[in-house]
Amino acid sequence: MPGIDKLPIEETLEDSPQTRSLLGVFEEDATAISNYMNQLYQAMHRIYDAQNELSAATHLTSKLLKEYEKQRFPLGGDDEVMSSTLQQFSKVIDELSSCHAVLSTQLADAMMFPITQFKERDLKEILTLKEVFQIASNDHDAAINRYSRLSKKRENDKVKYEVTEDVYTSRKKQHQTMMHYFCALNTLQYKKKIALLEPLLGYMQAQISFFKMGSENLNEQLEEFLANIGTSVQNVRREMDSDIETMQQTIEDLEVASDPLYVPDPDPTKFPVNRNLTRKAGYLNARNKTGLVSSTWDRQFYFTQGGNLMSQARGDVAGGLAMDIDNCSVMAVDCEDRRYCFQITSFDGKKSSILQAESKKDHEEWICTINNISKQIYLSENPEETAARVNQSALEAVTPSPSFQQRHESLRPAAGQSRPPTARTSSSGSLGSESTNLAALSLDSLVAPDTPIQFDIISPVCEDQPGQAKAFGQGGRRTNPFGESGGSTKSETEDSILHQLFIVRFLGSMEVKSDDHPDVVYETMRQILAARAIHNIFRMTESHLLVTCDCLKLIDPQTQVTRLTFPLPCVVLYATHQENKRLFGFVLRTSSGRSESNLSSVCYIFESNNEGEKICDSVGLAKQIALHAELDRRASEKQKEIERVKEKQQKELNKQKQIEKDLEEQSRLIAASSRPNQASSEGQFVVLSSSQSEESDLGGGGKKRESEA
């Protein structure tokens, strides 16, 4: 190494400006050394801290790998190969952790200790001596200044002695301090090199020792193990890349296929409704009442499970029972101005729930699915085929066939014969040849002005006909609107091939004078709506109108109890409003007393959900089916009567043949008895019985009549 610069200790007593200038250079160098060594100390301390952290992290990693087999993972927790592999890694990493701990100790002894000693001892010593030297120099300057101010004229031995002693002491102290300070600065030049090289030497020796320990631990067996693990990792990576590519392709295909499904209400022509489902799942909005008139809607996930409807909120592990839908009833309803709502009512009518679907397709599929489940189709071996067969039978039952229409045309009475007074008015108001111009008639001839109006359903119709009421089931028995019987007794409409259900709201009813023209229905609608507006009556009773081939029924949607039954033969007139197609009405002709000749007509007005024309078409179809059934019944009775007459004639003919045969036998006997025979010696005679005598008489009379003829 080159020579080291030194401060001249011999010139400390002289304290010349050159010496002070050289001292300033050494002090500046000491300050630079202090700054640099502080930075180097921070860097080496970071190495030491990092090594300690690496040692602790390695030990923690080894500990966690040992505890892997104790973990309970929901997926892939029983992989024994992975557990054994991680145990092997845990052992190796634990050994590495020990090596790191040894390295950390060596760094503390060989690297951090020397530089810490230099920083804390040598540099602080220089700073301390610098401060002491500065104080001594100031004291010496002050003493010299006082000594220089001694008066030449007034010499005071005592003062002169004190000042001289002060100069002596301060100069001695400055000289001694300056020599030690110079010595420390000169020594610092050596210690600087030692403080730089010794920590680095310790660091390198510690790393070499660490690498030697690692080389001893990493033997050939471990290298083979690591090679096998590397191969396994590459295989897993290739499998992952292949799976990612497959999933990306699946995502692209699903994005293309699902694009129309992003619309909340997809086109039903592209996505037809499946009416044969017995299982369905999806999100629905459930209506929850929070007060008398207020309610909230909660979005939950609903799914069917056997005969149960289950609900599950987002975040729940499993679903809960929402309702038992075996033998339940389901129907579309209007609720709080929301679309696609339907109501499910339990079989006993005690529990009901209103749900809202997201689209029209989901709305219809939920209703069909719940209806199929309520019929317990899901219990069959092939539920979807059974549901398809049942739905197809129901569709064929309510769809009139062409042969049926042709048979109706062939059985239509002649133009001159009288026709039933039933009228059907379409939205266009055309009545055909039967429509007569009644515009000139007074409205009072249709509906009396003072006729009372009934705004609510309070009692069954036809109360004065108990036999008829009993026949149509007006006793308040629970009725299944889909034609299914809830008990062992059969419903009176079980044999009807038409079952159509509509949601209606009763507006009112009143007695009318005429029932032969649709103007009666129009005028009744006008008077009832006007009366509701005048009396501020806005509440309407919602019911389910069931149209069958036998009758019209108003069913309570909550309890499924029949409120009113209108025999279909008594419905003589039905029509929709000319402008508001939601309004429709029909006229019911009943006997007002015990005498059937005293008839009265009552007009009932209802509001539907844009289905007025459909309801009238359904009633018309029901009357057509009933008419054809009656014609078939009459034809069958006529055929039976003809067969009975033929059978009676055949019996008479057989009887006549028997009589003729008996007469021939009697004639033969009479002829045989009239021959001349002599009496035998034993006195034997031919004796005829009384019955034979009578038959012979009848035979003679018959022959006589034949001869006369």
mmCIF file of all heavy atoms in Angstrom, residues 398 481-483 493 496-504 544-555 564 566 568 571 574 584 586 611-612 614-625:
data_model
loop_
_atom_site.group_PDB
_atom_site.id
_atom_site.type_symbol
_atom_site.label_atom_id
_atom_site.label_comp_id
_atom_site.label_asym_id
_atom_site.label_seq_id
_atom_site.Cartn_x
_atom_site.Cartn_y
_atom_site.Cartn_z
ATOM 1 N N VAL A 398 -108.862 -29.253 -25.947
ATOM 2 C CA VAL A 398 -109.442 -27.908 -26.074
ATOM 3 C C VAL A 398 -109.342 -27.380 -27.490
ATOM 4 O O VAL A 398 -109.731 -26.253 -27.762
ATOM 5 C CB VAL A 398 -108.728 -26.921 -25.121
ATOM 6 C CG1 VAL A 398 -108.906 -27.349 -23.698
ATOM 7 C CG2 VAL A 398 -107.248 -26.817 -25.465
ATOM 8 N N PRO A 481 -108.871 -26.088 -10.027
ATOM 9 C CA PRO A 481 -109.201 -25.465 -11.307
ATOM 10 C C PRO A 481 -108.665 -26.205 -12.506
ATOM 11 O O PRO A 481 -108.993 -25.864 -13.631
ATOM 12 C CB PRO A 481 -108.538 -24.083 -11.192
ATOM 13 C CG PRO A 481 -107.443 -24.265 -10.219
ATOM 14 C CD PRO A 481 -107.944 -25.288 -9.242
ATOM 15 N N PHE A 482 -107.829 -27.209 -12.313
ATOM 16 C CA PHE A 482 -107.284 -27.945 -13.435
ATOM 17 C C PHE A 482 -108.018 -29.264 -13.647
ATOM 18 O O PHE A 482 -107.536 -30.157 -14.323
ATOM 19 C CB PHE A 482 -105.787 -28.213 -13.221
ATOM 20 C CG PHE A 482 -104.999 -26.951 -13.143
ATOM 21 C CD1 PHE A 482 -104.651 -26.414 -11.919
ATOM 22 C CD2 PHE A 482 -104.650 -26.282 -14.310
ATOM 23 C CE1 PHE A 482 -103.936 -25.244 -11.858
ATOM 24 C CE2 PHE A 482 -103.931 -25.110 -14.244
ATOM 25 C CZ PHE A 482 -103.579 -24.589 -13.027
ATOM 26 N N GLY A 483 -109.178 -29.432 -13.009
ATOM 27 C CA GLY A 483 -109.984 -30.610 -13.250
ATOM 28 C C GLY A 483 -109.544 -31.817 -12.482
ATOM 29 O O GLY A 483 -109.970 -32.920 -12.758
ATOM 30 N N THR A 493 -117.114 -31.739 -12.999
ATOM 31 C CA THR A 493 -116.592 -31.369 -14.310
ATOM 32 C C THR A 493 -115.447 -32.271 -14.729
ATOM 33 O O THR A 493 -114.658 -31.923 -15.592
ATOM 34 C CB THR A 493 -116.100 -29.912 -14.274
ATOM 35 O OG1 THR A 493 -115.087 -29.808 -13.269
ATOM 36 C CG2 THR A 493 -117.234 -28.961 -13.958
ATOM 37 N N SER A 496 -115.567 -33.267 -18.400
ATOM 38 C CA SER A 496 -115.566 -32.188 -19.375
ATOM 39 C C SER A 496 -114.223 -32.151 -20.083
ATOM 40 O O SER A 496 -113.170 -32.235 -19.457
ATOM 41 C CB SER A 496 -115.840 -30.845 -18.676
ATOM 42 O OG SER A 496 -115.796 -29.804 -19.616
ATOM 43 N N ILE A 497 -114.271 -31.988 -21.420
ATOM 44 C CA ILE A 497 -113.027 -31.964 -22.185
ATOM 45 C C ILE A 497 -112.447 -30.573 -22.268
ATOM 46 O O ILE A 497 -111.344 -30.397 -22.798
ATOM 47 C CB ILE A 497 -113.268 -32.523 -23.602
ATOM 48 C CG1 ILE A 497 -114.234 -31.611 -24.377
ATOM 49 C CG2 ILE A 497 -113.766 -33.937 -23.554
ATOM 50 C CD1 ILE A 497 -114.382 -31.999 -25.826
ATOM 51 N N LEU A 498 -113.136 -29.571 -21.767
ATOM 52 C CA LEU A 498 -112.653 -28.185 -21.825
ATOM 53 C C LEU A 498 -112.458 -27.670 -20.406
ATOM 54 O O LEU A 498 -113.388 -27.689 -19.597
ATOM 55 C CB LEU A 498 -113.656 -27.301 -22.589
ATOM 56 C CG LEU A 498 -113.288 -25.819 -22.680
ATOM 57 C CD1 LEU A 498 -112.018 -25.639 -23.506
ATOM 58 C CD2 LEU A 498 -114.425 -24.999 -23.277
ATOM 59 N N HIS A 499 -111.266 -27.242 -20.092
ATOM 60 C CA HIS A 499 -110.956 -26.609 -18.811
ATOM 61 C C HIS A 499 -110.044 -25.419 -19.102
ATOM 62 O O HIS A 499 -108.869 -25.613 -19.416
ATOM 63 C CB HIS A 499 -110.249 -27.582 -17.853
ATOM 64 C CG HIS A 499 -111.124 -28.655 -17.318
ATOM 65 N ND1 HIS A 499 -111.364 -29.821 -18.021
ATOM 66 C CD2 HIS A 499 -111.817 -28.749 -16.155
ATOM 67 C CE1 HIS A 499 -112.164 -30.590 -17.319
ATOM 68 N NE2 HIS A 499 -112.455 -29.977 -16.187
ATOM 69 N N GLN A 500 -110.577 -24.237 -19.044
ATOM 70 C CA GLN A 500 -109.779 -23.030 -19.262
ATOM 71 C C GLN A 500 -109.990 -22.082 -18.086
ATOM 72 O O GLN A 500 -111.123 -21.842 -17.665
ATOM 73 C CB GLN A 500 -110.144 -22.350 -20.578
ATOM 74 C CG GLN A 500 -109.691 -23.141 -21.797
ATOM 75 C CD GLN A 500 -109.883 -22.379 -23.094
ATOM 76 O OE1 GLN A 500 -110.609 -21.399 -23.134
ATOM 77 N NE2 GLN A 500 -109.237 -22.848 -24.146
ATOM 78 N N LEU A 501 -108.869 -21.545 -17.580
ATOM 79 C CA LEU A 501 -108.895 -20.711 -16.379
ATOM 80 C C LEU A 501 -108.470 -19.293 -16.734
ATOM 81 O O LEU A 501 -107.476 -19.094 -17.435
ATOM 82 C CB LEU A 501 -107.954 -21.293 -15.316
ATOM 83 C CG LEU A 501 -108.111 -20.740 -13.897
ATOM 84 C CD1 LEU A 501 -109.430 -21.191 -13.309
ATOM 85 C CD2 LEU A 501 -106.956 -21.194 -13.025
ATOM 86 N N PHE A 502 -109.210 -18.318 -16.244
ATOM 87 C CA PHE A 502 -108.917 -16.909 -16.486
ATOM 88 C C PHE A 502 -109.001 -16.151 -15.161
ATOM 89 O O PHE A 502 -109.773 -16.513 -14.267
ATOM 90 C CB PHE A 502 -109.904 -16.289 -17.482
ATOM 91 C CG PHE A 502 -109.965 -16.995 -18.808
ATOM 92 C CD1 PHE A 502 -110.914 -17.990 -19.036
ATOM 93 C CD2 PHE A 502 -109.068 -16.688 -19.816
ATOM 94 C CE1 PHE A 502 -110.968 -18.636 -20.252
ATOM 95 C CE2 PHE A 502 -109.121 -17.344 -21.042
ATOM 96 C CZ PHE A 502 -110.066 -18.329 -21.254
ATOM 97 N N ILE A 503 -108.216 -15.095 -15.066
ATOM 98 C CA ILE A 503 -108.254 -14.214 -13.898
ATOM 99 C C ILE A 503 -109.202 -13.055 -14.201
ATOM 100 O O ILE A 503 -108.999 -12.322 -15.179
ATOM 101 C CB ILE A 503 -106.853 -13.686 -13.553
ATOM 102 C CG1 ILE A 503 -105.917 -14.851 -13.247
ATOM 103 C CG2 ILE A 503 -106.907 -12.723 -12.386
ATOM 104 C CD1 ILE A 503 -104.492 -14.430 -13.049
ATOM 105 N N VAL A 504 -110.215 -12.906 -13.384
ATOM 106 C CA VAL A 504 -111.221 -11.857 -13.602
ATOM 107 C C VAL A 504 -111.456 -11.119 -12.293
ATOM 108 O O VAL A 504 -111.141 -11.619 -11.204
ATOM 109 C CB VAL A 504 -112.546 -12.455 -14.125
ATOM 110 C CG1 VAL A 504 -112.353 -13.121 -15.475
ATOM 111 C CG2 VAL A 504 -113.126 -13.454 -13.129
ATOM 112 N N HIS A 544 -111.019 -16.552 -10.039
ATOM 113 C CA HIS A 544 -110.599 -17.345 -11.192
ATOM 114 C C HIS A 544 -111.852 -17.885 -11.867
ATOM 115 O O HIS A 544 -112.660 -18.564 -11.228
ATOM 116 C CB HIS A 544 -109.688 -18.489 -10.770
ATOM 117 C CG HIS A 544 -108.389 -18.029 -10.199
ATOM 118 N ND1 HIS A 544 -107.610 -18.814 -9.383
ATOM 119 C CD2 HIS A 544 -107.747 -16.858 -10.317
ATOM 120 C CE1 HIS A 544 -106.535 -18.144 -9.043
ATOM 121 N NE2 HIS A 544 -106.594 -16.964 -9.587
ATOM 122 N N LEU A 545 -112.010 -17.541 -13.136
ATOM 123 C CA LEU A 545 -113.159 -18.002 -13.909
ATOM 124 C C LEU A 545 -112.769 -19.279 -14.642
ATOM 125 O O LEU A 545 -111.886 -19.265 -15.508
ATOM 126 C CB LEU A 545 -113.602 -16.921 -14.891
ATOM 127 C CG LEU A 545 -114.803 -17.294 -15.789
ATOM 128 C CD1 LEU A 545 -116.050 -17.528 -14.945
ATOM 129 C CD2 LEU A 545 -115.045 -16.218 -16.834
ATOM 130 N N LEU A 546 -113.402 -20.383 -14.266
ATOM 131 C CA LEU A 546 -113.151 -21.679 -14.884
ATOM 132 C C LEU A 546 -114.269 -21.966 -15.878
ATOM 133 O O LEU A 546 -115.447 -22.010 -15.511
ATOM 134 C CB LEU A 546 -113.088 -22.778 -13.819
ATOM 135 C CG LEU A 546 -112.854 -24.195 -14.334
ATOM 136 C CD1 LEU A 546 -111.502 -24.300 -15.022
ATOM 137 C CD2 LEU A 546 -112.965 -25.208 -13.213
ATOM 138 N N VAL A 547 -113.887 -22.124 -17.149
ATOM 139 C CA VAL A 547 -114.852 -22.377 -18.225
ATOM 140 C C VAL A 547 -114.786 -23.861 -18.565
ATOM 141 O O VAL A 547 -113.722 -24.379 -18.929
ATOM 142 C CB VAL A 547 -114.533 -21.523 -19.461
ATOM 143 C CG1 VAL A 547 -115.544 -21.799 -20.567
ATOM 144 C CG2 VAL A 547 -114.537 -20.047 -19.098
ATOM 145 N N THR A 548 -115.913 -24.555 -18.430
ATOM 146 C CA THR A 548 -116.016 -25.969 -18.798
ATOM 147 C C THR A 548 -117.205 -26.146 -19.726
ATOM 148 O O THR A 548 -117.934 -25.197 -20.025
ATOM 149 C CB THR A 548 -116.182 -26.856 -17.554
ATOM 150 O OG1 THR A 548 -117.462 -26.574 -16.944
ATOM 151 C CG2 THR A 548 -115.084 -26.579 -16.537
ATOM 152 N N CYS A 549 -117.411 -27.362 -20.169
ATOM 153 C CA CYS A 549 -118.537 -27.653 -21.068
ATOM 154 C C CYS A 549 -119.862 -27.725 -20.327
ATOM 155 O O CYS A 549 -120.919 -27.863 -20.971
ATOM 156 C CB CYS A 549 -118.287 -28.969 -21.802
ATOM 157 S SG CYS A 549 -116.829 -28.929 -22.850
ATOM 158 N N ASP A 550 -119.831 -27.666 -19.000
ATOM 159 C CA ASP A 550 -121.059 -27.778 -18.220
ATOM 160 C C ASP A 550 -121.462 -26.460 -17.583
ATOM 161 O O ASP A 550 -122.663 -26.174 -17.457
ATOM 162 C CB ASP A 550 -120.887 -28.830 -17.115
ATOM 163 C CG ASP A 550 -120.552 -30.193 -17.680
ATOM 164 O OD1 ASP A 550 -121.125 -30.538 -18.730
ATOM 165 O OD2 ASP A 550 -119.724 -30.895 -17.084
ATOM 166 N N CYS A 551 -120.464 -25.672 -17.149
ATOM 167 C CA CYS A 551 -120.797 -24.477 -16.389
ATOM 168 C C CYS A 551 -119.624 -23.519 -16.396
ATOM 169 O O CYS A 551 -118.533 -23.833 -16.878
ATOM 170 C CB CYS A 551 -121.179 -24.853 -14.950
ATOM 171 S SG CYS A 551 -119.827 -25.683 -14.070
ATOM 172 N N LEU A 552 -119.882 -22.330 -15.858
ATOM 173 C CA LEU A 552 -118.846 -21.345 -15.561
ATOM 174 C C LEU A 552 -118.735 -21.247 -14.045
ATOM 175 O O LEU A 552 -119.748 -21.134 -13.360
ATOM 176 C CB LEU A 552 -119.187 -19.974 -16.151
ATOM 177 C CG LEU A 552 -119.538 -19.917 -17.637
ATOM 178 C CD1 LEU A 552 -119.840 -18.480 -18.051
ATOM 179 C CD2 LEU A 552 -118.401 -20.467 -18.474
ATOM 180 N N LYS A 553 -117.496 -21.266 -13.539
ATOM 181 C CA LYS A 553 -117.293 -21.235 -12.092
ATOM 182 C C LYS A 553 -116.411 -20.063 -11.718
ATOM 183 O O LYS A 553 -115.405 -19.791 -12.385
ATOM 184 C CB LYS A 553 -116.631 -22.530 -11.607
ATOM 185 C CG LYS A 553 -117.562 -23.711 -11.533
ATOM 186 C CD LYS A 553 -116.857 -24.896 -10.879
ATOM 187 C CE LYS A 553 -117.792 -26.085 -10.728
ATOM 188 N NZ LYS A 553 -117.140 -27.197 -10.023
ATOM 189 N N LEU A 554 -116.782 -19.390 -10.628
ATOM 190 C CA LEU A 554 -115.939 -18.373 -10.009
ATOM 191 C C LEU A 554 -115.297 -19.001 -8.778
ATOM 192 O O LEU A 554 -116.004 -19.387 -7.842
ATOM 193 C CB LEU A 554 -116.747 -17.135 -9.620
ATOM 194 C CG LEU A 554 -117.153 -16.202 -10.755
ATOM 195 C CD1 LEU A 554 -117.930 -15.016 -10.209
ATOM 196 C CD2 LEU A 554 -115.944 -15.716 -11.518
ATOM 197 N N ILE A 555 -113.961 -19.098 -8.781
ATOM 198 C CA ILE A 555 -113.228 -19.801 -7.730
ATOM 199 C C ILE A 555 -112.379 -18.810 -6.967
ATOM 200 O O ILE A 555 -111.727 -17.934 -7.560
ATOM 201 C CB ILE A 555 -112.347 -20.911 -8.338
ATOM 202 C CG1 ILE A 555 -113.218 -21.894 -9.118
ATOM 203 C CG2 ILE A 555 -111.564 -21.649 -7.269
ATOM 204 C CD1 ILE A 555 -112.423 -22.920 -9.895
ATOM 205 N N LEU A 564 -119.285 -19.026 -7.075
ATOM 206 C CA LEU A 564 -120.519 -19.048 -7.858
ATOM 207 C C LEU A 564 -120.377 -20.065 -8.979
ATOM 208 O O LEU A 564 -119.273 -20.281 -9.502
ATOM 209 C CB LEU A 564 -120.813 -17.670 -8.459
ATOM 210 C CG LEU A 564 -121.285 -16.555 -7.511
ATOM 211 C CD1 LEU A 564 -121.471 -15.287 -8.291
ATOM 212 C CD2 LEU A 564 -122.568 -16.939 -6.814
ATOM 213 N N PHE A 566 -122.327 -20.941 -12.668
ATOM 214 C CA PHE A 566 -123.317 -20.533 -13.670
ATOM 215 C C PHE A 566 -123.496 -21.682 -14.646
ATOM 216 O O PHE A 566 -122.564 -21.997 -15.406
ATOM 217 C CB PHE A 566 -122.850 -19.293 -14.423
ATOM 218 C CG PHE A 566 -122.451 -18.148 -13.531
ATOM 219 C CD1 PHE A 566 -121.117 -17.887 -13.267
ATOM 220 C CD2 PHE A 566 -123.404 -17.338 -12.944
ATOM 221 C CE1 PHE A 566 -120.738 -16.836 -12.454
ATOM 222 C CE2 PHE A 566 -123.030 -16.280 -12.131
ATOM 223 C CZ PHE A 566 -121.709 -16.031 -11.883
ATOM 224 N N LEU A 568 -124.034 -23.590 -17.857
ATOM 225 C CA LEU A 568 -123.793 -23.104 -19.210
ATOM 226 C C LEU A 568 -125.079 -22.962 -20.029
ATOM 227 O O LEU A 568 -125.200 -22.001 -20.805
ATOM 228 C CB LEU A 568 -122.806 -24.042 -19.911
ATOM 229 C CG LEU A 568 -122.194 -23.504 -21.200
ATOM 230 C CD1 LEU A 568 -121.404 -22.240 -20.929
ATOM 231 C CD2 LEU A 568 -121.299 -24.547 -21.846
ATOM 232 N N VAL A 571 -126.542 -19.498 -19.633
ATOM 233 C CA VAL A 571 -125.830 -18.343 -20.195
ATOM 234 C C VAL A 571 -126.332 -18.153 -21.621
ATOM 235 O O VAL A 571 -125.973 -18.894 -22.537
ATOM 236 C CB VAL A 571 -124.313 -18.569 -20.157
ATOM 237 C CG1 VAL A 571 -123.587 -17.381 -20.762
ATOM 238 C CG2 VAL A 571 -123.840 -18.806 -18.730
ATOM 239 N N TYR A 574 -123.416 -13.273 -24.261
ATOM 240 C CA TYR A 574 -122.114 -12.869 -23.748
ATOM 241 C C TYR A 574 -121.459 -11.968 -24.794
ATOM 242 O O TYR A 574 -121.611 -12.161 -25.994
ATOM 243 C CB TYR A 574 -121.218 -14.083 -23.457
ATOM 244 C CG TYR A 574 -121.213 -15.124 -24.535
ATOM 245 C CD1 TYR A 574 -120.256 -15.106 -25.543
ATOM 246 C CD2 TYR A 574 -122.175 -16.131 -24.560
ATOM 247 C CE1 TYR A 574 -120.249 -16.059 -26.535
ATOM 248 C CE2 TYR A 574 -122.178 -17.084 -25.552
ATOM 249 C CZ TYR A 574 -121.212 -17.045 -26.546
ATOM 250 O OH TYR A 574 -121.209 -17.981 -27.532
ATOM 251 N N PHE A 584 -115.935 -7.536 -20.141
ATOM 252 C CA PHE A 584 -116.844 -8.470 -20.783
ATOM 253 C C PHE A 584 -117.967 -8.787 -19.798
ATOM 254 O O PHE A 584 -117.862 -8.537 -18.585
ATOM 255 C CB PHE A 584 -116.123 -9.757 -21.196
ATOM 256 C CG PHE A 584 -115.815 -10.688 -20.057
ATOM 257 C CD1 PHE A 584 -116.656 -11.753 -19.744
ATOM 258 C CD2 PHE A 584 -114.690 -10.479 -19.266
ATOM 259 C CE1 PHE A 584 -116.366 -12.594 -18.685
ATOM 260 C CE2 PHE A 584 -114.406 -11.318 -18.213
ATOM 261 C CZ PHE A 584 -115.239 -12.374 -17.920
ATOM 262 N N PHE A 586 -121.894 -11.340 -19.345
ATOM 263 C CA PHE A 586 -122.813 -12.339 -19.880
ATOM 264 C C PHE A 586 -124.125 -12.243 -19.121
ATOM 265 O O PHE A 586 -124.186 -11.740 -17.994
ATOM 266 C CB PHE A 586 -122.229 -13.755 -19.791
ATOM 267 C CG PHE A 586 -121.857 -14.186 -18.401
ATOM 268 C CD1 PHE A 586 -122.812 -14.716 -17.531
ATOM 269 C CD2 PHE A 586 -120.552 -14.075 -17.957
ATOM 270 C CE1 PHE A 586 -122.455 -15.124 -16.266
ATOM 271 C CE2 PHE A 586 -120.188 -14.477 -16.690
ATOM 272 C CZ PHE A 586 -121.147 -14.996 -15.840
ATOM 273 N N GLU A 611 -108.130 -10.143 -21.784
ATOM 274 C CA GLU A 611 -108.548 -11.458 -22.271
ATOM 275 C C GLU A 611 -110.058 -11.544 -22.453
ATOM 276 O O GLU A 611 -110.626 -12.615 -22.408
ATOM 277 C CB GLU A 611 -108.087 -12.549 -21.308
ATOM 278 C CG GLU A 611 -106.586 -12.691 -21.209
ATOM 279 C CD GLU A 611 -106.182 -13.767 -20.232
ATOM 280 O OE1 GLU A 611 -107.047 -14.167 -19.430
ATOM 281 O OE2 GLU A 611 -105.030 -14.200 -20.268
ATOM 282 N N GLY A 612 -110.709 -10.401 -22.637
ATOM 283 C CA GLY A 612 -112.165 -10.427 -22.778
ATOM 284 C C GLY A 612 -112.613 -11.257 -23.966
ATOM 285 O O GLY A 612 -113.533 -12.080 -23.859
ATOM 286 N N LYS A 614 -110.864 -13.588 -25.481
ATOM 287 C CA LYS A 614 -110.514 -14.993 -25.271
ATOM 288 C C LYS A 614 -111.555 -15.691 -24.405
ATOM 289 O O LYS A 614 -111.905 -16.848 -24.654
ATOM 290 C CB LYS A 614 -109.137 -15.096 -24.624
ATOM 291 C CG LYS A 614 -107.999 -14.640 -25.510
ATOM 292 C CD LYS A 614 -106.662 -14.831 -24.804
ATOM 293 C CE LYS A 614 -105.507 -14.379 -25.678
ATOM 294 N NZ LYS A 614 -104.203 -14.549 -25.001
ATOM 295 N N ILE A 615 -112.026 -14.980 -23.377
ATOM 296 C CA ILE A 615 -113.033 -15.597 -22.494
ATOM 297 C C ILE A 615 -114.316 -15.849 -23.263
ATOM 298 O O ILE A 615 -114.934 -16.921 -23.154
ATOM 299 C CB ILE A 615 -113.265 -14.698 -21.270
ATOM 300 C CG1 ILE A 615 -111.981 -14.604 -20.438
ATOM 301 C CG2 ILE A 615 -114.407 -15.236 -20.414
ATOM 302 C CD1 ILE A 615 -112.082 -13.657 -19.271
ATOM 303 N N CYS A 616 -114.743 -14.860 -24.074
ATOM 304 C CA CYS A 616 -115.972 -15.059 -24.856
ATOM 305 C C CYS A 616 -115.788 -16.186 -25.874
ATOM 306 O O CYS A 616 -116.711 -16.980 -26.096
ATOM 307 C CB CYS A 616 -116.356 -13.758 -25.549
ATOM 308 S SG CYS A 616 -116.946 -12.468 -24.427
ATOM 309 N N ASP A 617 -114.599 -16.250 -26.487
ATOM 310 C CA ASP A 617 -114.345 -17.359 -27.420
ATOM 311 C C ASP A 617 -114.386 -18.701 -26.684
ATOM 312 O O ASP A 617 -114.898 -19.689 -27.211
ATOM 313 C CB ASP A 617 -112.988 -17.179 -28.087
ATOM 314 C CG ASP A 617 -112.976 -15.993 -29.042
ATOM 315 O OD1 ASP A 617 -114.073 -15.595 -29.480
ATOM 316 O OD2 ASP A 617 -111.876 -15.460 -29.323
ATOM 317 N N SER A 618 -113.844 -18.723 -25.466
ATOM 318 C CA SER A 618 -113.860 -19.964 -24.696
ATOM 319 C C SER A 618 -115.288 -20.366 -24.334
ATOM 320 O O SER A 618 -115.650 -21.544 -24.413
ATOM 321 C CB SER A 618 -113.019 -19.788 -23.434
ATOM 322 O OG SER A 618 -113.034 -20.962 -22.656
ATOM 323 N N VAL A 619 -116.118 -19.381 -23.939
ATOM 324 C CA VAL A 619 -117.524 -19.688 -23.629
ATOM 325 C C VAL A 619 -118.240 -20.191 -24.874
ATOM 326 O O VAL A 619 -119.040 -21.144 -24.834
ATOM 327 C CB VAL A 619 -118.216 -18.451 -23.038
ATOM 328 C CG1 VAL A 619 -119.709 -18.714 -22.825
ATOM 329 C CG2 VAL A 619 -117.568 -18.064 -21.714
ATOM 330 N N GLY A 620 -117.955 -19.530 -26.029
ATOM 331 C CA GLY A 620 -118.572 -19.984 -27.270
ATOM 332 C C GLY A 620 -118.164 -21.403 -27.623
ATOM 333 O O GLY A 620 -118.985 -22.216 -28.058
ATOM 334 N N LEU A 621 -116.871 -21.701 -27.439
ATOM 335 C CA LEU A 621 -116.407 -23.059 -27.702
ATOM 336 C C LEU A 621 -117.068 -24.057 -26.761
ATOM 337 O O LEU A 621 -117.460 -25.156 -27.175
ATOM 338 C CB LEU A 621 -114.884 -23.105 -27.556
ATOM 339 C CG LEU A 621 -114.231 -24.479 -27.752
ATOM 340 C CD1 LEU A 621 -114.492 -25.011 -29.148
ATOM 341 C CD2 LEU A 621 -112.726 -24.394 -27.485
ATOM 342 N N ALA A 622 -117.223 -23.676 -25.497
ATOM 343 C CA ALA A 622 -117.874 -24.569 -24.536
ATOM 344 C C ALA A 622 -119.320 -24.840 -24.939
ATOM 345 O O ALA A 622 -119.805 -25.973 -24.853
ATOM 346 C CB ALA A 622 -117.804 -23.959 -23.139
ATOM 347 N N LYS A 623 -120.034 -23.781 -25.393
ATOM 348 C CA LYS A 623 -121.430 -23.988 -25.798
ATOM 349 C C LYS A 623 -121.509 -24.850 -27.054
ATOM 350 O O LYS A 623 -122.435 -25.658 -27.199
ATOM 351 C CB LYS A 623 -122.107 -22.632 -26.013
ATOM 352 C CG LYS A 623 -122.273 -21.832 -24.713
ATOM 353 C CD LYS A 623 -123.071 -20.573 -24.920
ATOM 354 C CE LYS A 623 -124.562 -20.854 -25.093
ATOM 355 N NZ LYS A 623 -125.189 -21.403 -23.897
ATOM 356 N N GLN A 624 -120.519 -24.666 -27.979
ATOM 357 C CA GLN A 624 -120.519 -25.522 -29.165
ATOM 358 C C GLN A 624 -120.299 -26.989 -28.788
ATOM 359 O O GLN A 624 -120.985 -27.881 -29.285
ATOM 360 C CB GLN A 624 -119.420 -25.068 -30.129
ATOM 361 C CG GLN A 624 -119.726 -23.763 -30.852
ATOM 362 C CD GLN A 624 -118.644 -23.408 -31.848
ATOM 363 O OE1 GLN A 624 -117.743 -24.200 -32.080
ATOM 364 N NE2 GLN A 624 -118.742 -22.218 -32.423
ATOM 365 N N ILE A 625 -119.320 -27.182 -27.903
ATOM 366 C CA ILE A 625 -119.061 -28.560 -27.480
ATOM 367 C C ILE A 625 -120.286 -29.136 -26.775
ATOM 368 O O ILE A 625 -120.671 -30.300 -26.989
ATOM 369 C CB ILE A 625 -117.829 -28.599 -26.566
ATOM 370 C CG1 ILE A 625 -116.582 -28.196 -27.345
ATOM 371 C CG2 ILE A 625 -117.634 -29.983 -25.967
ATOM 372 C CD1 ILE A 625 -115.334 -28.079 -26.494
#
